[in-house]
Amino acid sequence: MQPQTVETITSLIQEGEFFKLKQVLREFQPSELVALIEEEEEREQLIIFRLLPLKLATEVFEYLDLEIQRHFLDNLAQDKMADILNEMSPDDRTTLLEFLPANFVAELVQSLSEEERKVTLQLLGYPEESVGRLMTPDYIAIRENWTVQQVLDYIRQHGGQSETLSMLYVTDAQGVLMDDIRIREFLLAAPTARVRDLMDRRFVQLMADQDQEEAIDVFRRNDRNALPVVSDQGILLGIVTIDDILSIREQEDTEDMQKLGGSEALDEPYLATPMLRMVQKRAGWLVILLIGEMFTATAMGYFEDEIAKAVVLMLFIPLIISAGGNAGSQATSLIIRAMSLGELSLGEWWRVMRRELATGLMLGAILGFVGLMRILLWSQLFPGEYGEYYWRIGFTVGSSLVGIVLWGSLCGSMLPLLLKRLGADPATSSAPFVATLVDVTGVIIYFAFALLFLRGTLL
């Protein structure tokens, strides 16, 4: 959306040129109108939306942010919103109604036509985060004894109400799904051929009570734009399209990213989340992490005598524990993403452990060499900086980096798998949590190597 376009629209609103504005708005695509509305202030948003014809308004409304949809529902005439809700696709309407308070939903459902009310209540009856909440009943169902010509005639007559025409679904007299066939098969077949001639009875389906995350994996494995949804008896209930799956995937990825940052997932957009709820979502993990870091102080207190004898050891504690935390955070992020994409399963934990053992050892060796060289070089440039036992300090730091990076990689990779095995969300194994765990154990590893290399000299 060009800035001058927004300025032109705003100018027409301020001048009251609503008839001219109405004509101008008809020239925009729905996606452009969505961008335009989201850039305007609330008053201008309402004016623009009121001027849109019903069909265009419905298309725009389906793609608007939920907060803006709620704003329109609160401020526009009930009859106009009822018309739009009736025109909306069932899956988009269900997503909106899930976002609204129960009493508001009951009122809106009553404004729907009898047919649409029945569909909406049916969709809302499925468990939250189930495939049933995503499906739409707008699809093309055909019979196996029809000819290709009959199918094409049926599409011309009823295809306008279908969510997608890329796939056609073959059902029997009881509505049981028998096959799904791509539209291209009918376009290339002879008009007199029968549907049964095109069937191979090999199809992919989703269950209405199936988890939405499982549906994401099914879509990814099968490369489909839409998939049929069936009941336990195999009856075709509706279809789920790729746009709904992408929306769910975006939500899941957003939740994982927020949890990886050491926070509970937000239920609303960042700016729409009330301040107190934001504090509530973030305070819990911060308190847990703070308590965890207190154990670092406890561990250091255990080595108080060693610290008093060799104060120089304190200089490298931040370097040591940050390296381990960074390695753990890397491993956690990689494993959680791999699990999210279905690249590994719980049964492959041993492969992950072996891989991280080797990777952690090599990464630790690289960092350990850098740490050793830094101390040796610094001691040559600034003699006396670390005392006469500088080379022992160098080996202490280098060896500690190897051990801590190796340990951090193992912790970061195994914690998500352990949480998944316990039935928890792997994303809960956030990078800050892993970093805190490695901080505590890192101090112990560091001073263990210090006792090994410095006993009888500085210690």
Side-chain angles (χ1 to χ4, degrees):
M1 182 68 62
Q2 297 295 325
Q4 57 266 33
T5 304
V6 178
E7 293 175 3
T8 300
I9 299 297
T10 304
S11 176
L12 290 174
I13 294 175
Q14 293 174 347
E15 295 170 3
E17 295 286 350
F18 297 132
F19 179 80
K20 185 177 180 180
L21 177 60
K22 187 174 184 177
Q23 301 303 316
V24 171
L25 293 175
R26 290 174 182 269
E27 300 175 2
F28 287 87
Q29 295 295 319
S31 59
E32 295 175 325
L33 288 170
V34 170
L36 172 63
I37 289 174
E38 290 179 346
E39 289 186 26
E40 293 286 357
E41 298 296 328
E42 289 185 349
R43 174 180 171 275
E44 285 74 18
Q45 289 177 347
L46 290 170
I47 292 174
I48 293 171
F49 193 74
R50 283 194 184 101
L51 296 175
L52 299 178
L54 177 60
K55 189 175 186 304
L56 183 56
T58 303
E59 292 182 51
V60 171
F61 189 81
E62 288 180 343
Y63 291 99
L64 287 173
D65 183 80
L66 286 172
E67 286 290 340
I68 299 178
Q69 289 181 336
R70 175 65 185 273
H71 172 62
F72 286 173
L73 288 170
D74 287 335
N75 292 277
L76 293 175
Q78 185 174 358
D79 55 346
K80 181 177 179 65
M81 293 314 304
D83 289 340
I84 290 175
L85 289 172
N86 276 306
E87 288 290 322
M88 287 179 71
S89 60
D91 51 341
D92 290 326
R93 184 168 58 232
T94 302
T95 300
L96 170 62
L97 294 179
E98 285 178 334
F99 172 71
L100 302 174
N103 58 336
F104 201 178
V105 171
E107 181 180 342
L108 288 176
V109 168
Q110 293 304 316
S111 68
L112 300 175
S113 65
E114 183 177 350
E115 181 181 355
E116 295 296 336
R117 186 186 308 130
K118 180 180 178 181
V119 171
T120 299
L121 290 175
Q122 183 182 9
L123 289 174
L124 288 173
Y126 291 105
E128 285 190 37
E129 300 185 1
S130 69
V131 170
R133 291 294 186 100
L134 298 178
M135 70 179 184
T136 174
D138 297 331
Y139 57 88
I140 295 293
I142 57 179
R143 299 286 185 265
E144 64 174 331
N145 62 332
W146 289 6
T147 65
V148 170
Q149 187 60 55
Q150 285 177 304
V151 171
L152 296 177
D153 290 340
Y154 185 80
I155 293 174
R156 292 188 188 97
Q157 185 177 358
H158 301 284
Q161 301 300 319
S162 177
E163 182 87 0
T164 177
L165 292 175
S166 61
M167 299 292 293
L168 306 183
Y169 303 94
V170 186
T171 59
D172 63 14
Q174 286 72 44
V176 175
L177 180 63
M178 302 173 65
D179 204 355
D180 59 358
I181 307 176
R182 297 182 185 274
I183 186 67
R184 70 186 303 271
E185 300 295 330
F186 293 94
L187 297 177
L188 297 175
T192 56
R194 297 283 178 179
V195 172
R196 67 170 64 93
D197 300 329
L198 305 178
M199 294 172 59
D200 58 12
R201 299 183 185 275
R202 292 182 299 177
F203 57 92
V204 182
Q205 63 185 24
L206 300 171
M207 306 301 293
D209 57 356
Q210 193 171 356
D211 190 87
Q212 293 174 359
E213 287 194 37
E214 296 177 12
I216 295 173
D217 293 334
V218 176
F219 265 89
R220 184 173 60 246
R221 291 196 302 269
N222 293 279
D223 190 25
R224 294 292 187 89
N225 291 323
L227 282 176
V229 182
V230 301
S231 67
D232 294 336
Q233 295 75 35
I235 296 175
L236 180 59
L237 301 173
I239 63 172
V240 173
T241 53
I242 188 65
D243 60 322
D244 295 314
I245 291 297
L246 291 175
S247 177
I248 294 299
R249 187 55 193 260
E250 181 183 9
Q251 294 175 16
E252 296 292 340
D253 288 346
T254 299
E255 290 182 4
D256 288 348
M257 291 177 66
Q258 291 169 346
K259 289 178 180 178
L260 278 170
S263 169
E264 292 183 39
L266 301 180
D267 302 320
E268 302 173 86
Y270 175 81
L271 293 177
T273 303
M275 186 72 69
L276 291 179
R277 190 175 303 168
M278 180 72 73
V279 172
Q280 179 185 4
K281 292 286 186 181
R282 298 168 63 176
W285 266 111
L286 287 176
V287 170
I288 293 173
L289 295 173
L290 176 63
I291 294 174
E293 290 290 357
M294 289 179 180
F295 287 102
T296 304
T298 302
M300 291 180 64
Y302 181 79
F303 297 100
E304 185 176 357
D305 292 340
E306 287 75 9
I307 293 173
K309 294 176 184 178
V311 180
V312 68
L313 294 178
M314 288 292 294
L315 299 176
F316 302 101
I317 289 180
L319 178 150
I320 296 292
I321 61 178
S322 66
N326 292 338
S329 298
Q330 281 185 342
T332 295
S333 301
L334 292 173
I335 295 302
I336 289 177
R337 187 57 179 167
M339 293 173 67
S340 175
L341 295 176
E343 295 175 353
L344 61 88
S345 62
L346 290 177
E348 297 176 293
W349 68 271
W350 179 242
R351 291 182 60 192
V352 175
M353 176 176 284
R354 285 187 302 174
R355 190 178 185 85
E356 286 302 318
L357 275 171
T359 303
L361 188 60
M362 287 188 285
L363 292 173
I366 293 172
L367 297 184
F369 178 76
V370 172
L372 172 62
M373 289 298 100
R374 190 272 186 194
I375 292 174
L376 297 181
L377 178 62
W378 209 255
S379 297
Q380 297 303 314
L381 295 175
F382 304 97
E385 181 75 13
Y386 300 126
E388 60 179 311
Y389 300 109
Y390 65 87
W391 62 274
R392 287 178 176 264
I393 296 175
F395 278 108
T396 297
V397 172
S399 301
S400 298
L401 283 169
V402 175
I404 290 172
V405 170
L406 174 60
W407 173 243
S409 298
L410 283 175
C411 289
S413 60
M414 290 295 105
L415 270 175
L417 294 170
L418 176 61
L419 288 172
K420 182 71 173 180
R421 181 69 180 83
L422 296 175
D425 187 348
T428 305
S429 172
S430 61
F433 181 76
V434 173
T436 301
L437 175 63
V438 175
D439 285 355
V440 178
T441 53
V443 170
I444 298 174
I445 293 172
Y446 177 44
F447 281 100
F449 276 107
L451 289 172
L452 176 65
F453 286 104
L454 298 176
R455 189 184 298 276
T457 54
L458 294 178
L459 300 179

